[in-house]
Amino acid sequence: MLQERKLLIVSDNSELSDQIHFISEQFIKVETVNSHEVLKELDRLAPDIIIIIKTDDSTVELVQSIHAENSSPILLLTESQDFILLRDVIRAGAIDYFVIPDEISLFEKRLQAIIKRLETNETDVKEGYNASFKRGRGQVISFYSAKGGSGKTFVATSFAQTLKLESTAQVLLIDLNLQFGGIETYLSIESTRSLIDLNPVIEELNESHIQNVSEKESHSKLEILLSPKDAEIAESVTQGFVSKLIRACRRSYDFIILDLPSYVDDKTYIALEESDVINYILNLDTPSLRAFKDAEVLFQRLGIDVNERLQIIVNKTGKENEVTLKDIKDIVTVPVVTDIRYDKKTVQPMINQGLPLQKKPNEKKLPHPAKDIRKWVLSKLS
Ligand SMILES: Nc1ncnc2c1ncn2[C@@H]1O[C@H](COP(=O)(O)OP(=O)(O)OP(=O)(O)O)[C@@H](O)[C@H]1O
Ligand SMILES: [Mg+2]
């Protein structure tokens, strides 16, 4: 019975905890405890859901020690965006976080979903958390390189199209090159719509908003959010917008593919932080290798933990490469997951015409790069 279920609010901020208490008690029995008492009281209270309201410091440690004592889902609420903190609390064991008041309605929905799951699926509720609750179900896969022209847009676009053609997954491609855009020329899409059109609804963004603004590539039916064509409009895109956009897309799509620019500003930063996988596009020459080393230093300086997320995709391989694949594998410590051949003769005319390399599933006669990308995508799906 739901009456026996309990939610515990851990908070040193009475105003915020009263507000959350008020919302939550519509759905479940609620108790409140402060951060100093919680570890002593945890056994006695035996909560089924735990909400932690950010304390002044040591929030991560608090999440960690509560998680070690009690395996119930932990949600973190905070009053301001702090991406490093939010990332760390997820790693410490929280299943989601919300910025209050901006995301209060999102929080309420999530809480209801968790309670519903507690009600209907009592036995496997704990095992099921990771699969069904953790940060939405979608996987964010970004394509990045510190060097311009290495093939980020080409590979990201082909990867997304192939994934869409060869699976039943819901795939969304987002062009985050906010200064210059570019995906529309690859796919010959003429449109005045762009992701900035989502700005007025960003707080309550849902699938139908996204579908209203996205374009569809005509062969694969891949959904694409274009970047604004007007640089001045693009400037109004904020870091918060990008973060909310990605989080909302996670809830509606299986795969969110991000095409990123070479420069790292606050928007690129947050996109990298939100990525589950960062595909670094590397060409086989010395400047590209140097740029990769610089990028590693930059990630470290910005506190972007790329451990187990960063992988290398070698692009434009061929006979005339200055550096070999083996050299790369000897020099870098990051895994090299695939290599894509260079095929200027076939690819360039297709791009000039805005034609995708692969147009239907299981297509036999494909240009070399498309073959390589398809093989990689299929290995991911199996
Ligand atoms: N494997 C390949 N075979 C043939 N041509 C390729 C290949 N990869 C990329 N190209 C070509 O290289 C050029 C640069 O590619 P792309 O625009 O994807 O790079 P980018 O990294 O996105 O560049 P930017 O930094 O400007 O965003 C394009 O003309 C593209 O068609
Ligand atoms: Mg590009």
Side-chain angles (χ1 to χ4, degrees), residues 148-154 177 186 262 315-316 340-344 347-348 351 369:
S150 49
K152 298 177 289 295
T153 303
F154 170 73
N177 293 269
Y186 270 77
S262 298
N315 185 32
K316 303 194 187 179
I340 300 164
R341 283 170 284 182
Y342 187 47
D343 183 353
K344 192 173 176 189
V347 168
Q348 210 54 54
I351 290 174

Side-chain angles (χ1 to χ4, degrees), residues 313-325:
I313 311 303
V314 175
N315 185 32
K316 303 194 187 179
T317 64
K319 287 195 196 81
E320 279 131 51
N321 294 136
E322 179 196 344
V323 182
T324 67
L325 256 176

Side-chain angles (χ1 to χ4, degrees), residues 75 95-96 98 105-115 132-136 251:
L75 302 177
I95 60 163
D96 214 339
F98 300 90
S105 65
L106 212 56
F107 159 73
E108 204 174 311
K109 276 193 209 123
R110 187 88 152 104
L111 180 64
Q112 277 177 281
I114 295 174
I115 294 171
S132 57
F133 287 143
K134 210 165 180 192
R135 310 286 290 121
R251 289 175 161 100

